[in-house]
Amino acid sequence: MLSLSLVADTIEFQKRGLPHAHILIWQTGCSSEPSAAFVDQFISAELPDPKEDPLGFVLVQEFMMHGPCGDLDPKCPCMKDGKCSKRFPKSFQDTTTFDEDGFPIYRRRDTGIKARKSGVDLDNRWVVPHNLEILKKFQAHINVEACNQSYLI
């Protein structure tokens, strides 16, 4: 059985005075090394198909797209020394994997689905990882990431 416990949280205020929360939820009752399939049940870094899930598509387009930055907008606030500080755009990835340090590399398939932001069409390489159920409930930017090593915190 999957159970979750809140381990830590902080709330800070960003430049425009908006609250910004960092919440760590520890998962108990399962193996210490989650599989890619397990991560994919909870986290997506892809645009939903607008025909199959129009609400999901609109919400990801509105709240979960990074950029455009880099060559598309060199003056974007995330740009540091000519590169995106958040390492966007990511590369296309057919499956979720983990790097040698345990960081997830989320599935980002080249599906041909694009979302328009600031007059630019962006694909899955620009999607911020999220949980679609949480996104639909709160309709706000909520970045969800997997952390399977305590030293990554």
Side-chain angles (χ1 to χ4, degrees):
M1 172 158 181
L2 177 67
S3 66
L4 304 172
S5 60
L6 181 63
V7 173
D9 70 284
T10 62
I11 297 178
E12 59 193 27
F13 291 86
Q14 294 182 319
K15 295 175 188 171
R16 296 178 303 272
L18 299 173
H20 179 91
H22 296 263
I23 302 169
L24 174 63
I25 300 173
W26 204 261
Q27 176 185 324
T28 58
C30 70
S31 69
S32 61
E33 300 270 340
S35 68
F38 182 79
V39 170
D40 288 343
Q41 288 180 55
F42 300 99
I43 300 172
S44 174
E46 295 183 322
L47 285 156
D49 185 324
K51 293 175 185 156
E52 293 178 21
D53 187 357
L55 176 61
F57 176 82
V58 167
L59 293 173
V60 171
Q61 178 178 261
E62 183 175 349
F63 297 114
M64 303 310 297
M65 299 300 293
H66 179 80
C69 62
D71 293 338
L72 299 172
D73 184 2
K75 295 182 179 164
C76 189
C78 66
M79 296 294 288
K80 306 287 183 230
D81 300 321
K83 295 180 183 177
C84 174
S85 62
K86 310 297 183 195
R87 299 184 178 144
F88 280 91
K90 308 289 186 181
S91 58
F92 286 122
Q93 180 88 13
D94 286 331
T95 59
T96 296
T97 59
F98 298 93
D99 70 12
E100 61 278 352
D101 293 322
F103 286 97
I105 303 168
Y106 299 104
R107 177 178 67 193
R108 296 170 188 277
R109 296 169 289 187
D110 186 2
T111 60
I113 299 171
K114 296 188 179 184
R116 195 149 187 86
K117 183 175 178 188
S118 301
V120 178
D121 288 333
L122 303 175
D123 55 29
N124 285 336
R125 294 174 295 175
W126 299 90
V127 177
V128 176
H130 59 277
N131 175 285
L132 202 50
E133 187 176 332
I134 292 171
L135 182 59
K136 287 178 178 180
K137 180 171 183 155
F138 293 102
Q139 298 188 13
H141 176 85
I142 301 175
N143 178 204
V144 177
E145 300 270 355
C147 175
N148 68 348
Q149 305 284 337
S150 60
Y151 71 88
L152 296 178
I153 301 165

